[in-house]
């Protein structure tokens, strides 16, 4: 299955291409990384009249932004009370409020810039994979309802009607959320940023970045930028840059398979309302559909062949009539997972920030963090950032944790194969 390729690359209605950087240029803001964070920052910086340039080592959306599930969630993987326990009530509630509005910002950008990315704001379903998981959903319901979120707990029968399978025991519906074609969204942001005046360069890896004479000197194989400010937005796809050390973060691999388009005879009742889903399992599973009717199922793990075999069986258990459905795509991506599952904004020197650690929630947080970072860097005012800037960040046992996540996914999926 590893040769089937990434669905989002084959189905994106938005296209984008940019030449490598050649020569030298002076800018207000240099951005390393053309994913959701960097592109959102570029769009908003250019909209403020700043001279901004984005440098991408590969192509727009090549990293997690073009490989994820495409769920536009409100909030983080963590429940909001846990966010407050970790970083304090004032800062936690600020982050909760900012991310509660993230889907609105995403869908507003899509509408404003006419981004052809299959936007569907029908909400998401957080699925109870076992009877005991209902208590977890009830706790989230109470926490979110107390903050005014439009959430509702569905019983098993309502969940089966929405999802098209009786394999789950209930679900928490969040009406704020939705789904998109993620790579098309990234390319649309890139197009909008360029239309606003930003310069973007693909196939332009940054080899060095150094603060000298009051500015950042950023070196690439074919050129050089002199920048007043710098944003490093590489997240789980960071590459070493001489003179700049961003801490390593544990990596979680996540894979997906997608069927060929399925007509109403086979798939008419599978997520007929257009929601995207993920479950409460420790080794999480996701399921959604796209506008062409494909069923897309994902789970933790990086070995596409090994995990996709499990996913094929899982798909058949959830939807028996899809047991012989053609699997047309299979791909994987990387998630940067901090030890407490909270994103970080790290100071990399005077006038420079790095953002990382969305822990699987890249679309909404990336969009709002990028916007806020552009404002903070250009204005010098950091008060409206979603989380406070930290001067250092350390993750322990990074390699071991990454191996642990992958081994755990393998064990669960191999055990499931014997059932």
């Amino acid at each position: 299955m590893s040769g089937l390729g990434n669905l989002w690359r084959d189905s994106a209605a938005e296209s984008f291409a940019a030449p490598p950087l050649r020569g030298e240029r002076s800018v207000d803001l240099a951005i390393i990384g053309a994913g959701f964070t960097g592109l959102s920052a570029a769009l908003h910086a250019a909209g403020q009249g700043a001279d901004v340039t984005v440098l991408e080592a590969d192509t727009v959306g090549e990293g997690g932004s073009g490989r994820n599930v495409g769920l536009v969630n409100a909030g983080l993987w963590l429940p909001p009370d846990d966010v407050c326990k970790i970083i304090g009530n004032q800062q936690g509630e600020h982050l909760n409020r900012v991310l509660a509005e993230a889907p609105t910002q995403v869908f507003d950008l899509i509408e404003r810039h006419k981004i052809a990315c299959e936007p569907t704001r029908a909400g998401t379903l957080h699925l109870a994979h076992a009877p005991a998981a209902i208590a977890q959903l009830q706790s989230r319901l109470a926490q979110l309802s107390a903050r005014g979120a439009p959430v509702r707990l569905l019983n098993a029968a309502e969940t089966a009607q929405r999802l098209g399978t009786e394999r789950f025991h209930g679900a928490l519906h969040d009406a704020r959320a939705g789904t998109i074609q993620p790579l098309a969204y990234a390319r649309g942001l890139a197009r909008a940023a360029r239309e606003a005046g930003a310069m973007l360069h693909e196939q332009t890896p940054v080899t060095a970045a150094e603060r000298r004479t009051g500015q950042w000197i950023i070196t690439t194989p074919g050129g050089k930028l002199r920048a007043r400010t710098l944003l490093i937005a590489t997240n789980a796809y960071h590459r070493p840059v001489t003179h700049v050390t961003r801490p390593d973060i544990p990596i979680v691999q996540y894979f997906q398979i997608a069927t060929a388009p399925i007509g109403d005879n086979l798939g008419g009742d599978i997520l007929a309302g257009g929601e995207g889903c993920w479950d409460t399992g420790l080794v999480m599973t996701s399921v959604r559909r796209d506008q062409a009717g494909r069923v897309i199922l994902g789970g933790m793990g990086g070995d596409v062949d090994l995990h996709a075999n499990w996913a094929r069986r899982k798909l058949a258990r959830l939807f028996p009539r899809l047991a012989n459905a053609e699997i047309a795509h299979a791909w994987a991506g990387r998630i940067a997972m901090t030890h407490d599952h909270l994103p970080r904004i790290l100071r990399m020197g005077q006038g420079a920030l790095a953002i990382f650690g969305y822990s699987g929630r890249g679309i909404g947080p990336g969009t709002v963090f990028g916007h806020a970072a552009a404002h903070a860097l250009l204005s010098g005012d950091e008060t409206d950032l979603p989380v406070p800037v930290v001067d250092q960040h350390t993750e322990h046992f990074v390699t071991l944790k990454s191996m642990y996540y992958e081994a755990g996914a393998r064990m669960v999926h191999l055990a499931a194969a014997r059932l």
Side-chain angles (χ1 to χ4, degrees):
M1 285 191 179
S2 56
L4 295 179
N6 184 339
L7 167 64
W8 308 133
R9 288 197 166 274
D10 290 345
S11 67
E14 291 275 352
S15 60
F16 185 86
L21 176 68
R22 296 284 183 258
E24 297 189 13
R25 182 185 311 144
S26 295
V27 298
D28 297 313
L29 172 62
I31 299 170
I32 304 174
F36 302 133
T37 304
L39 295 169
S40 176
L43 174 58
H44 291 288
Q48 296 175 38
D51 189 350
V52 56
T53 294
V54 180
L55 305 176
E56 166 56 47
D58 204 294
T59 58
V60 164
E62 170 61 22
S65 298
R67 298 171 185 269
N68 66 36
V69 180
L71 303 185
V72 187
N73 289 296
L76 294 169
W77 181 76
L78 288 175
D81 282 2
D82 288 5
V83 173
C84 293
K85 289 176 184 176
I86 294 170
I87 61 175
N89 192 65
Q90 183 176 354
Q91 294 177 1
E93 291 298 4
H94 173 63
L95 178 59
N96 287 330
R97 285 192 298 271
V98 168
L99 295 184
E101 294 299 319
T104 295
Q105 187 170 141
V106 170
F107 287 105
D108 283 352
L109 285 172
I110 291 168
E111 181 177 3
R112 185 181 317 143
H113 298 287
K114 309 300 180 189
I115 300 175
C117 63
E118 305 181 16
T120 303
R121 199 171 187 182
T124 52
L125 296 171
H126 193 181
L127 305 167
H129 78 294
I134 292 295
Q136 177 184 332
L137 297 185
Q138 288 172 332
S139 176
R140 285 181 179 265
L141 173 71
Q143 294 177 41
L144 292 169
S145 296
R147 293 168 171 85
V151 291
R152 188 167 76 90
L153 188 62
L154 310 181
N155 62 30
E158 292 174 303
T159 302
Q161 184 177 20
R162 296 255 191 147
L163 190 57
T165 178
E166 297 180 353
R167 288 283 181 170
F168 295 96
H169 303 271
L172 186 65
H173 181 259
D174 188 338
R176 300 169 296 177
T179 61
I180 59 173
Q181 211 278 21
L183 179 58
Y185 175 59
R187 289 176 176 176
L189 288 177
R191 170 179 56 79
R194 185 160 61 187
E195 290 170 352
M199 300 291 291
L200 291 91
H201 297 282
E202 297 179 313
Q203 305 299 331
T204 304
V206 172
T207 56
E210 186 176 10
R211 183 82 178 177
R212 296 203 307 263
T213 63
Q215 60 186 342
W216 285 93
I217 310 300
I218 300 154
T219 304
T220 75
K224 184 177 293 185
L225 289 182
R226 302 178 186 276
R228 182 167 64 87
T229 58
L230 170 65
L231 175 62
I232 300 175
T234 47
N235 203 23
Y237 288 79
H238 186 70
R239 302 184 183 190
V241 176
T242 301
H243 306 305
V244 171
T245 302
R246 201 211 71 173
D248 290 334
I249 309 299
I251 295 298
V252 174
Q253 305 276 355
Y254 200 87
F255 74 93
Q256 295 178 81
I257 64 168
T259 69
I262 293 172
D264 287 343
N265 288 339
L266 276 180
D269 66 339
I270 299 175
L271 290 169
E275 302 94 341
C277 309
W278 78 102
D279 71 11
T280 52
L282 182 61
V283 178
M284 189 189 79
T285 301
S286 61
V287 62
R288 60 162 295 191
R289 298 188 73 180
D290 68 357
Q291 283 190 355
R294 301 175 181 90
V295 177
I296 305 161
L297 188 140
M300 293 172 61
D303 186 325
V304 172
D305 289 325
L306 184 152
H307 296 293
N309 288 332
W310 164 85
R312 190 72 176 83
R313 294 188 295 271
K314 177 78 170 182
L315 186 69
R317 285 197 296 271
L318 291 177
F319 311 108
R321 60 194 177 281
L322 300 186
N324 297 315
E326 177 189 356
I327 303 302
H329 293 87
W331 70 102
R334 302 201 295 264
I335 296 169
M337 183 82 73
T338 59
H339 67 272
D340 56 11
H341 309 301
L342 288 176
R344 295 295 193 278
I345 303 178
L346 177 65
R347 196 179 311 281
M348 303 299 291
Q350 184 178 350
L353 300 174
I355 301 176
F356 52 85
Y358 297 129
S359 298
R361 292 292 181 96
I363 298 175
T367 300
V368 299
F369 271 63
H371 182 172
H375 174 76
L377 285 166
L378 294 172
S379 68
D381 180 2
E382 298 177 351
T383 57
D384 290 333
L385 286 169
V387 295
V389 178
V390 295
D391 291 322
Q392 61 181 359
H393 179 78
T394 302
E395 293 281 340
H396 299 291
F397 309 113
V398 171
T399 301
L400 286 175
K401 286 180 179 178
S402 300
M403 294 171 62
Y404 170 79
Y405 294 139
E406 178 64 22
R410 285 173 177 259
M411 289 177 62
V412 169
H413 293 162
L414 287 171
R418 302 187 186 101
L419 299 177

